[in-house]
Amino acid sequence: MPPPLHILLTSATGYIGGGVLGKLYSSVQAGEYTVTALVRSQRKALPFGQFGISTVVGTLDDFDVVAEKTAKADVVLHTASDEHIPAIESGARKRLEEGKQKTILLHTSGCGFAIDDEWEVFNENRVIYDDSDVEQY
C-alpha cells in the first residue's frame, strides 16, 4: 500500500482552513492523508495533536518555514492570502529538484480582496470574469 498523501494546510484556524480541516479529519483518521497545519502560535497548535494533525508554528510571512514545509508536502491547501505564493513556489521547485512528484496546489482565500482599494478592485476598466459567460473568453 502506498504511503498516504501528505498535505500542508495554511490558515488551519481560519474560517476556510478550519472548514477544510473538518472535512479532511475522517480521511486523516482512516490513514488516507497526513496533514501538517501552519498555525501562528504554540497555543493554537495544542488542540491539533489530539486529532492526529501535525503542526508547524509560523506565519505566512515566514518564507523559509512555508517553503520547507511545501517541499515536504504532496498537496498544499493554501486557504489564505495570495500574497504568500512565492514561498510555496520556492518549496515546490525544491521538491522537483529533489526528484519528487510535483506539488499540487489548491488555493482559495476569503473575500477581503474585494474591499481593498489598493488593488483597484473597483476600477471601471477591470475585467471581472464569469464562468457562465462563454463569450468572455
Side-chain angles (χ1 to χ4, degrees):
M1 184 168 160
L5 284 177
H6 182 66
I7 297 171
L8 172 63
L9 176 63
T10 64
S11 297
T13 59
Y15 180 72
I16 296 172
V20 168
L21 188 59
K23 295 292 185 184
L24 286 174
Y25 175 71
S26 61
S27 296
V28 168
Q29 295 303 303
E32 297 171 34
Y33 305 112
T34 60
V35 175
T36 297
L38 178 68
V39 294
R40 284 178 272 188
S41 69
Q42 190 60 43
R43 182 183 63 78
K44 289 187 175 198
L46 290 175
F48 287 86
Q50 68 184 340
F51 298 107
I53 308 295
S54 300
T55 56
V56 60
V57 176
T59 70
L60 292 168
D61 291 322
D62 293 326
F63 187 97
D64 292 339
V65 171
V66 174
E68 175 190 341
K69 293 303 175 181
T70 296
K72 295 178 180 178
D74 300 301
V75 177
V76 176
L77 300 178
H78 184 49
T79 62
S81 167
D82 63 350
E83 297 173 10
H84 303 91
I85 296 296
I88 294 170
E89 290 172 338
S90 175
R93 273 192 302 278
K94 180 179 179 190
R95 184 175 171 84
L96 281 176
E97 290 166 3
E98 294 173 350
K100 296 179 183 172
Q101 184 178 355
K102 284 184 181 180
T103 302
I104 297 169
L105 170 63
L106 298 174
H107 178 232
T108 184
S109 67
C111 62
F113 73 91
I115 60 169
D116 191 344
D117 289 336
E118 178 182 325
W119 291 2
E120 298 182 19
V121 171
F122 300 108
N123 180 329
E124 64 185 43
N125 297 320
R126 183 170 174 258
V127 176
I128 303 205
Y129 293 96
D130 181 344
D131 289 343
S132 65
D133 184 359
V134 178
E135 300 299 317
Q136 186 174 26
Y137 301 100

